[in-house]
Amino acid sequence: RKPSVGDVVTFTPVDSDSNKDDVYIKRIVAVEGDLIEVKGGSLYVNNVEQEEPYLINKCPYSLSKACIPDKTVFVLGDNRGDSADSHVWGPLPIDHVKGRATLRYWPPGRLGFIKKD
């Protein structure tokens, strides 16, 4: 199925500083046509502040409003303060997505299925 908001996906990186054999894992927070913005530590999609109970910390950065282009998704790490993700290198082409994560095994105390919200 097509990647959707809330999916935790694995993908090959798009930034030039990464090894092309690396595989990243991040959460899709917006899809093509969505309007995203980060302000005051919170993510807004289509002008609605998102509730993100899975976050380790709030966003320590801001992003101006931007529309997600066709055939791309916007991915952010759950550890927003220490994550190489779309806030660094922009929207991710859908063809870089390799799969969806369904089970978390680290840290051991949080072992379980990954929820979309």
Side-chain angles (χ1 to χ4, degrees), residues 3-69:
S4 62
V5 171
D7 286 348
V8 176
V9 295
T10 59
F11 59 92
T12 54
V14 296
D15 63 324
S16 60
D17 293 334
S18 295
N19 179 336
K20 296 305 176 193
D21 292 329
D22 288 348
V23 175
Y24 289 11
I25 184 166
K26 306 288 177 195
R27 189 178 302 269
I28 296 176
V29 298
V31 295
E32 57 189 6
D34 283 344
L35 182 67
I36 60 108
E37 179 180 23
V38 175
K39 63 182 178 181
S42 295
L43 171 68
Y44 292 79
V45 178
N46 299 322
N47 298 311
V48 176
E49 184 175 7
Q50 302 300 292
E51 291 185 32
E52 301 179 284
Y54 44 77
L55 285 185
I56 294 169
N57 52 35
K58 288 195 162 256
C59 294
Y61 52 82
S62 295
L63 289 175
S64 298
K65 284 185 182 180
C67 186
I68 306 306

